[in-house]
Every structure is written in C-alpha cells, then in structure tokens.
Amino acid sequence: MMSEFQVVKYSQSEAGSWNDFVATAKNATFLFHRDFMEYHNDRFEDFSLMVFKNGKLFSIMPANRVGNKIHSHQGLTYGGILLPKSVSFEIVRELFNAIVSFLKISGFDELHIKMIPDFYTQPPANEMSYLLAYNNAVLEKRDMVLAIDFSRPVIFHKTKLKHFKKTQNLDLKISSTTDFSNFWNQVLEPRLEQKHQTKPVHSLSEIELLFNKFPNNIEQFDIYSENEIVAGITVFKTDSVVKSQYGATTDRGEKLRALEYLFMYLIYKFKAEGTSFFSMGTVCDSNELGYNRGLLRQKEELGCSVYTQDFYKMTLR
C-alpha cells in the first residue's frame, strides 16, 4: 500500500515552514530552529527531512549525513522526529515507516538518533522509543541527565544550604548581562584550558551570534566579588526548561564557593518564575563507569535527580 506521506530532503527555501513547525511541535525546542542549526553548518552535511501529508507539512527530522550514515543530530544536544501536538500512535508508526523507506532508497545503511530527554516534551513523546526498539534498533548509549523537577520540593544537601547562607554575607554581586565576553575570556575559556585542556563547544563569537538570534532563550549570569568576575553560568531557556549550558569559576571563585552559590540562586529564581525543570546536563566521563562520580554527587546535592538520554542505532539494510 502506498504511503500517504511524502518525505523530502530539506531545502533552504523551506526555512520558514520548518521554523513554523518547530514553534508548534510537541517535542521541539529552539535548538531545532534553522537559525540555531546553521550557525555551525560548515561542520555538518545537512540531510534534514520534511514530511508532508496531503500537501501539508506534518513532521520534520533535523539530521546530518556522514557517508552512508544519517544522524539526528551530531551538532545538537538532542534530535529525533518532531511531531505535532495531537497525533495517534498508528499515524506515527506510518510516518516512521515512510521515513525509513526514504532513507533506504536514499542509500543509507544506518540511522542514529540522539533522543530528547523526556522532561522537554509536553505532552509526552515516547512513540519513537517504542518504534526504534520494535524495529530492532540497538541502544548504543544511555547517558544520565541531571535535572530538578520544580513540581516537587527542591531538596539541597544540608552542607550546600549552610554554605549558601554563609556566602550570602560575602557581598557577592550577581548580574544578568548581555555581554558574554567577561565570562568567556576571564573564566570559561581559561578554566577549561587549565582543567581539561579543551575549549567550550561555542566560541565567544558563536554564543554572541546565537544570543542575537535568540535573545529570549539565552541568558548570561555573572557573579562578582569586589568588581572582579569570579564565576558565571550561561543558560538556555525553553518554555518549560532552563538548562545550564556552561558554568565555570575562577580559582578565587572556587574558594568563595561562588559557582555553587550562583547555581542555588538561579534554582530559587527559576522555580519562583514558574519554570518546570532546571537541567544541569550530563555527567559523562570516559572512565570505566561512564560518568564522573564527583560531578554526579555535586549535582545531586544541588537537588537534581537522574533522568536518561538514549542513543539509538538502527540498521537500514
């Protein structure tokens, strides 16, 4: 039986339609907006998909290709097939089968999907997890994602609370700023180089570009002691989730526990503002456990619980 879905490769002329769909999908965030995806389009060969039903855009899949493999999406924190808010499972199954058929015809051997953590999706969007498993996709990796559910009481470790109260007396100044340069140049980049011999995923010019495109979704918080920046946190905001994208401190800030103080300040702030979740991201490590024990403990002591993010590989041949 011929599918009622028409799958096509995304073209730049469809950017407006793509972005309009992102604004209404039940499992989309601003990371899927073309202005966000394309800040690093020189690093990835885009092979995003658009799916039409009766001539109307019904679904999209942000993706890039590497040879005969398709990924959703190596340049983003998460990916997957984006769905309308109201859709039955049977329709999603047909949609999935249409996409798989298109990928096979297009010469792909493998589909890799980096799932979006559940707390981002309203209403839930677990159809893909079932369909991938049912079609013998392999769970390649499962990461822990640490987040706080603000519908429940936030429980800080008693030691964190004690230090928070002490730090309140140190006259630290917290500012929300549109200038990312102090944090990037004086804190984040030096700290990552010193501790891990690495650089942030986004350069200063890239985060400034993204902020100019998404001023309501990206915010910088810096904390100062005697006019010297000692820590900062960059957050990415969706309608319901605030994610700490970057957090770093100087050596002086470490002695003052400035970063810990700033995290707790922001947790209180965003809970009061009605945010649903505060995410602190993953605790991945290349050690034998697959996670950083110290980082996990710190985030749990700041009130986080463990959620998961799954990475699937599906053979198409």
Side-chain angles (χ1 to χ4, degrees):
M1 186 176 70
M2 192 169 179
S3 172
E4 61 182 326
F5 292 106
Q6 179 193 11
V7 185
V8 300
K9 185 177 179 292
Y10 167 80
S11 64
Q12 201 163 4
S13 63
E14 295 282 4
S17 298
W18 176 285
N19 292 334
D20 288 345
F21 188 86
V22 167
T24 61
K26 70 175 179 176
N27 55 336
T29 73
F30 75 99
L31 271 67
F32 299 130
H33 193 285
R34 295 311 305 191
D35 284 347
F36 192 100
M37 291 180 63
E38 289 170 10
Y39 86 89
H40 54 15
N41 61 4
D42 57 320
R43 301 178 213 168
F44 302 96
E45 182 183 349
D46 191 86
F47 205 95
S48 297
L49 302 180
M50 302 180 76
V51 186
F52 294 85
K53 182 182 180 186
N54 300 324
K56 182 181 178 183
L57 185 59
F58 186 84
S59 177
I60 59 178
M61 186 175 88
N64 68 284
R65 76 176 301 162
V66 180
N68 61 358
K69 300 175 183 178
I70 185 164
H71 298 261
S72 182
H73 185 293
Q74 288 178 299
L76 301 175
T77 308
Y78 34 72
I81 298 171
L82 307 191
L83 301 169
K85 279 193 166 66
S86 179
V87 61
S88 71
F89 176 80
E90 283 298 314
I91 296 295
V92 178
R93 183 178 62 80
E94 292 175 27
L95 166 72
F96 178 78
N97 290 340
I99 289 174
V100 169
S101 294
F102 177 83
L103 293 175
K104 289 178 178 178
I105 292 168
S106 300
F108 289 103
D109 293 336
E110 289 179 2
L111 166 64
H112 297 257
I113 292 187
K114 187 190 305 184
M115 302 296 287
I116 187 168
D118 281 351
F119 54 80
Y120 278 100
T121 59
Q122 292 296 330
N126 295 313
E127 297 92 343
M128 291 311 305
S129 295
Y130 178 89
L131 288 168
L132 285 163
Y134 184 79
N135 285 274
N136 300 315
V138 175
L139 179 63
E140 288 190 288
K141 185 171 71 156
R142 174 171 283 156
D143 283 347
M144 286 192 283
V145 180
L146 276 293
I148 300 170
D149 179 354
F150 281 146
S151 70
R152 304 171 183 272
V154 177
I155 302 175
F156 295 125
H157 190 278
K158 60 182 180 182
T159 305
K160 300 291 186 194
L161 278 173
K162 183 175 77 172
H163 288 305
F164 182 77
K165 291 171 183 174
K166 281 186 178 180
T167 308
Q168 283 179 313
N169 299 321
L170 296 180
D171 198 31
L172 298 176
K173 304 295 185 188
I174 296 172
S175 68
S176 169
T177 178
T178 59
D179 182 356
F180 294 80
S181 61
N182 285 345
F183 177 59
W184 244 255
N185 294 330
Q186 299 179 48
V187 186
L188 181 62
E189 289 188 340
R191 190 68 168 185
L192 288 177
E193 178 61 36
Q194 173 194 354
K195 291 284 188 180
H196 306 289
Q197 296 76 54
T198 189
K199 295 182 182 295
V201 172
H202 303 94
S203 66
L204 176 59
S205 61
E206 287 174 340
I207 200 70
E208 288 173 339
L209 171 68
L210 290 173
F211 172 73
N212 287 330
K213 298 278 189 183
F214 303 97
N216 297 322
N217 299 106
I218 300 174
E219 193 167 1
Q220 178 64 39
F221 294 91
D222 293 339
I223 185 165
Y224 287 81
S225 173
E226 299 172 346
N227 297 317
E228 175 189 342
I229 186 169
V230 290
I233 295 172
T234 312
V235 299
F236 281 10
K237 301 185 292 184
T238 71
D239 290 342
S240 58
V241 180
V242 172
K243 179 180 185 289
S244 56
Q245 188 71 17
Y246 294 109
T249 183
T250 63
D251 289 341
R252 183 181 177 202
E254 193 167 16
K255 292 173 184 173
L256 296 171
R257 293 182 177 268
L259 184 60
E260 180 181 294
Y261 179 77
L262 183 55
F263 264 118
M264 295 176 75
Y265 167 86
L266 293 179
I267 289 165
Y268 283 128
K269 167 186 164 63
F270 286 115
K271 180 176 174 63
E273 291 178 2
T275 300
S276 298
F277 284 87
F278 188 96
S279 171
M280 293 192 192
T282 65
V283 288
C284 300
D285 202 302
S286 57
N287 63 22
E288 71 281 358
L289 294 171
Y291 64 90
N292 184 309
R293 291 173 112 167
L295 198 56
L296 173 62
R297 184 179 65 254
Q298 288 175 26
K299 293 180 179 184
E300 286 181 329
E301 290 182 353
L302 285 169
C304 287
S305 298
V306 173
Y307 295 82
T308 57
Q309 180 179 23
D310 291 344
F311 297 70
Y312 285 98
K313 177 181 79 173
M314 181 174 165
T315 301
L316 299 173
R317 295 293 176 194

Short mmCIF file of all heavy atoms in Angstrom, two decimals, residues 268-293:
data_model
loop_
_atom_site.label_atom_id
_atom_site.label_comp_id
_atom_site.label_asym_id
_atom_site.label_seq_id
_atom_site.Cartn_x
_atom_site.Cartn_y
_atom_site.Cartn_z
N TYR A 268 16.49 28.86 42.84
CA TYR A 268 15.43 29.58 43.53
C TYR A 268 14.69 30.53 42.58
O TYR A 268 13.46 30.60 42.58
CB TYR A 268 16.01 30.39 44.70
CG TYR A 268 16.37 29.58 45.93
CD1 TYR A 268 17.63 29.68 46.51
CD2 TYR A 268 15.43 28.73 46.55
CE1 TYR A 268 17.97 28.96 47.65
CE2 TYR A 268 15.75 28.02 47.69
CZ TYR A 268 17.02 28.13 48.24
OH TYR A 268 17.35 27.42 49.37
N LYS A 269 15.45 31.25 41.77
CA LYS A 269 14.88 32.24 40.86
C LYS A 269 13.93 31.61 39.86
O LYS A 269 12.78 32.06 39.70
CB LYS A 269 16.02 32.97 40.13
CG LYS A 269 15.59 33.81 38.93
CD LYS A 269 16.80 34.37 38.18
CE LYS A 269 16.43 34.87 36.79
NZ LYS A 269 15.46 36.00 36.82
N PHE A 270 14.39 30.56 39.17
CA PHE A 270 13.57 29.99 38.11
C PHE A 270 12.39 29.19 38.66
O PHE A 270 11.35 29.10 38.01
CB PHE A 270 14.44 29.16 37.16
CG PHE A 270 15.30 30.01 36.26
CD1 PHE A 270 16.69 29.97 36.37
CD2 PHE A 270 14.73 30.87 35.34
CE1 PHE A 270 17.48 30.76 35.55
CE2 PHE A 270 15.51 31.67 34.52
CZ PHE A 270 16.88 31.61 34.62
N LYS A 271 12.55 28.62 39.83
CA LYS A 271 11.39 27.96 40.45
C LYS A 271 10.31 28.99 40.75
O LYS A 271 9.13 28.78 40.46
CB LYS A 271 11.80 27.22 41.72
CG LYS A 271 10.62 26.52 42.41
CD LYS A 271 11.06 25.72 43.62
CE LYS A 271 9.87 25.15 44.39
NZ LYS A 271 9.07 24.19 43.61
N ALA A 272 10.72 30.14 41.29
CA ALA A 272 9.76 31.20 41.63
C ALA A 272 9.08 31.76 40.38
O ALA A 272 7.93 32.21 40.44
CB ALA A 272 10.47 32.33 42.38
N GLU A 273 9.76 31.70 39.24
CA GLU A 273 9.21 32.23 37.99
C GLU A 273 8.30 31.24 37.28
O GLU A 273 7.74 31.55 36.23
CB GLU A 273 10.35 32.66 37.06
CG GLU A 273 11.10 33.88 37.57
CD GLU A 273 12.27 34.26 36.67
OE1 GLU A 273 12.48 33.62 35.63
OE2 GLU A 273 12.97 35.22 37.03
N GLY A 274 8.17 30.02 37.82
CA GLY A 274 7.24 29.06 37.25
C GLY A 274 7.82 28.12 36.21
O GLY A 274 7.06 27.43 35.51
N THR A 275 9.14 28.06 36.11
CA THR A 275 9.78 27.09 35.22
C THR A 275 9.46 25.67 35.70
O THR A 275 9.33 25.43 36.90
CB THR A 275 11.30 27.32 35.21
OG1 THR A 275 11.56 28.64 34.76
CG2 THR A 275 12.02 26.33 34.31
N SER A 276 9.35 24.72 34.77
CA SER A 276 9.02 23.34 35.16
C SER A 276 10.24 22.53 35.58
O SER A 276 10.19 21.77 36.54
CB SER A 276 8.31 22.63 34.00
OG SER A 276 7.11 23.27 33.68
N PHE A 277 11.36 22.69 34.84
CA PHE A 277 12.57 21.91 35.12
C PHE A 277 13.81 22.79 35.02
O PHE A 277 13.86 23.72 34.20
CB PHE A 277 12.72 20.74 34.13
CG PHE A 277 11.82 19.58 34.39
CD1 PHE A 277 10.54 19.55 33.85
CD2 PHE A 277 12.24 18.49 35.16
CE1 PHE A 277 9.70 18.47 34.07
CE2 PHE A 277 11.41 17.42 35.38
CZ PHE A 277 10.13 17.41 34.85
N PHE A 278 14.80 22.45 35.82
CA PHE A 278 16.13 23.05 35.72
C PHE A 278 17.11 21.91 35.45
O PHE A 278 17.27 21.01 36.28
CB PHE A 278 16.52 23.76 37.02
CG PHE A 278 17.79 24.57 36.93
CD1 PHE A 278 17.75 25.93 36.68
CD2 PHE A 278 19.03 23.97 37.09
CE1 PHE A 278 18.92 26.68 36.59
CE2 PHE A 278 20.20 24.70 37.01
CZ PHE A 278 20.14 26.07 36.76
N SER A 279 17.72 21.93 34.27
CA SER A 279 18.63 20.85 33.88
C SER A 279 20.08 21.30 34.04
O SER A 279 20.45 22.41 33.65
CB SER A 279 18.38 20.45 32.42
OG SER A 279 19.39 19.55 31.98
N MET A 280 20.89 20.41 34.60
CA MET A 280 22.32 20.65 34.70
C MET A 280 23.11 19.78 33.73
O MET A 280 24.33 19.66 33.85
CB MET A 280 22.80 20.41 36.14
CG MET A 280 22.25 21.41 37.13
SD MET A 280 23.11 21.32 38.72
CE MET A 280 22.01 22.32 39.72
N GLY A 281 22.41 19.16 32.78
CA GLY A 281 23.10 18.41 31.75
C GLY A 281 23.63 17.07 32.23
O GLY A 281 23.22 16.53 33.26
N THR A 282 24.55 16.53 31.46
CA THR A 282 25.06 15.18 31.71
C THR A 282 26.25 15.19 32.66
O THR A 282 26.79 16.25 33.00
CB THR A 282 25.48 14.49 30.41
OG1 THR A 282 26.60 15.20 29.85
CG2 THR A 282 24.34 14.49 29.41
N VAL A 283 26.66 13.99 33.06
CA VAL A 283 27.86 13.81 33.90
C VAL A 283 28.76 12.78 33.23
O VAL A 283 29.39 11.95 33.88
CB VAL A 283 27.48 13.36 35.33
CG1 VAL A 283 26.84 14.49 36.10
CG2 VAL A 283 26.53 12.15 35.31
N CYS A 284 28.83 12.83 31.90
CA CYS A 284 29.58 11.83 31.13
C CYS A 284 31.07 11.88 31.44
O CYS A 284 31.63 12.94 31.74
CB CYS A 284 29.39 12.06 29.64
SG CYS A 284 27.69 11.96 29.11
N ASP A 285 31.71 10.72 31.34
CA ASP A 285 33.15 10.61 31.52
C ASP A 285 33.63 9.41 30.71
O ASP A 285 32.86 8.49 30.46
CB ASP A 285 33.50 10.43 33.00
CG ASP A 285 34.93 10.85 33.31
OD1 ASP A 285 35.86 10.28 32.69
OD2 ASP A 285 35.14 11.72 34.16
N SER A 286 34.90 9.44 30.35
CA SER A 286 35.46 8.33 29.57
C SER A 286 36.02 7.22 30.46
O SER A 286 36.65 6.30 29.97
CB SER A 286 36.57 8.86 28.64
OG SER A 286 37.58 9.51 29.39
N ASN A 287 35.78 7.31 31.77
CA ASN A 287 36.30 6.27 32.67
C ASN A 287 35.46 4.99 32.57
O ASN A 287 34.51 4.91 31.79
CB ASN A 287 36.34 6.79 34.12
CG ASN A 287 34.95 7.13 34.67
OD1 ASN A 287 33.94 6.65 34.18
ND2 ASN A 287 34.90 7.98 35.68
N GLU A 288 35.82 4.00 33.39
CA GLU A 288 35.16 2.70 33.28
C GLU A 288 33.69 2.75 33.70
O GLU A 288 32.88 1.90 33.31
CB GLU A 288 35.91 1.65 34.12
CG GLU A 288 35.81 1.80 35.64
CD GLU A 288 36.72 2.90 36.21
OE1 GLU A 288 37.48 3.51 35.43
OE2 GLU A 288 36.67 3.13 37.43
N LEU A 289 33.30 3.75 34.49
CA LEU A 289 31.91 3.89 34.92
C LEU A 289 31.05 4.59 33.87
O LEU A 289 29.83 4.41 33.84
CB LEU A 289 31.84 4.68 36.23
CG LEU A 289 32.45 4.03 37.48
CD1 LEU A 289 32.49 5.03 38.62
CD2 LEU A 289 31.65 2.80 37.88
N GLY A 290 31.68 5.41 33.05
CA GLY A 290 30.94 6.19 32.06
C GLY A 290 30.42 7.51 32.58
O GLY A 290 29.79 8.27 31.84
N TYR A 291 30.67 7.78 33.85
CA TYR A 291 30.24 9.06 34.42
C TYR A 291 31.25 9.54 35.47
O TYR A 291 32.04 8.76 36.00
CB TYR A 291 28.85 8.95 35.05
CG TYR A 291 28.75 8.00 36.23
CD1 TYR A 291 28.96 8.45 37.53
CD2 TYR A 291 28.43 6.66 36.05
CE1 TYR A 291 28.88 7.58 38.61
CE2 TYR A 291 28.34 5.78 37.11
CZ TYR A 291 28.57 6.25 38.40
OH TYR A 291 28.49 5.39 39.46
N ASN A 292 31.20 10.84 35.74
CA ASN A 292 32.08 11.48 36.71
C ASN A 292 31.41 11.46 38.08
O ASN A 292 30.40 12.13 38.29
CB ASN A 292 32.37 12.91 36.26
CG ASN A 292 33.35 13.63 37.15
OD1 ASN A 292 33.19 13.66 38.36
ND2 ASN A 292 34.35 14.24 36.55
N ARG A 293 31.96 10.67 39.00
CA ARG A 293 31.33 10.49 40.31
C ARG A 293 31.22 11.80 41.09
O ARG A 293 30.19 12.10 41.71
CB ARG A 293 32.12 9.48 41.15
CG ARG A 293 32.03 8.07 40.62
CD ARG A 293 32.95 7.15 41.38
NE ARG A 293 32.22 6.20 42.17
CZ ARG A 293 32.77 5.12 42.73
NH1 ARG A 293 34.05 4.88 42.59
NH2 ARG A 293 32.05 4.30 43.45
#
